[in-house]
Amino acid sequence: MKRHEALVPLSHHHHHGLVLAQKLQKTEEKDKFREIMKDIEDFWENDGEAHFREEEEILLPLYACYAEIEDDEDIEKMLIDHTVIRGLIVKLRKLERFDYKVFQELGEKLHDHIRMEERAIFPKIESAVPDKELYKVEGKFHIDSYSGK
């Protein structure tokens, strides 16, 4: 899917989130808890946490300037998903023993959330916000820790 240049950094973050989501969805009891937690922590600390903030503090306020978002179910779902995903990260950090079902739950939620943003939210933003305004936010998103873009 062709993405507006200004949103490409967010799509890069999404790609790496999907890779992690796929890994988490395939987690089994025999897998190593610490290795999986390291992958989650690396993703969250290097990209995920800042990504959510940037969407909430930069992208959505810009979108709200050009579209009515108060009753937008996709935006509501996006923000609820952010809260649920943050909660799952907190829950995993508190686990004393391996619980592969929580890893799988995070993987499913992350996957579905990213797909929804790429298929529903970003196209809405691209069609509502003028190009010149999207270009003004270009460079305000953090550089992806994996690709350097």
Side-chain angles (χ1 to χ4, degrees), residues 44 81-93 102:
W44 188 247
D81 284 354
H82 282 192
T83 302
V84 169
I85 291 166
R86 284 180 174 115
L88 287 168
I89 299 287
V90 170
K91 184 176 184 176
L92 284 167
R93 286 174 170 164
V102 180

Side-chain angles (χ1 to χ4, degrees), residues 33-44:
F33 176 80
R34 284 192 172 94
E35 289 176 19
I36 297 168
M37 278 306 300
K38 183 177 178 345
D39 290 344
I40 292 168
E41 290 291 349
D42 286 348
F43 168 76
W44 188 247

Side-chain angles (χ1 to χ4, degrees), residues 6-20 42-52 54 114 118 139-149:
L7 301 180
V8 168
L10 297 174
S11 287
H12 278 282
H13 304 155
H14 284 166
H15 171 74
H16 299 295
L18 286 172
V19 170
L20 176 63
D42 286 348
F43 168 76
W44 188 247
E45 290 176 13
N46 294 322
D47 293 310
E49 189 171 25
H51 174 89
F52 280 15
E54 292 164 353
I114 291 168
E118 287 288 337
K140 292 187 178 182
F141 304 120
H142 76 280
I143 295 173
D144 181 72
S145 66
Y146 294 92
S147 67
K149 295 181 181 181

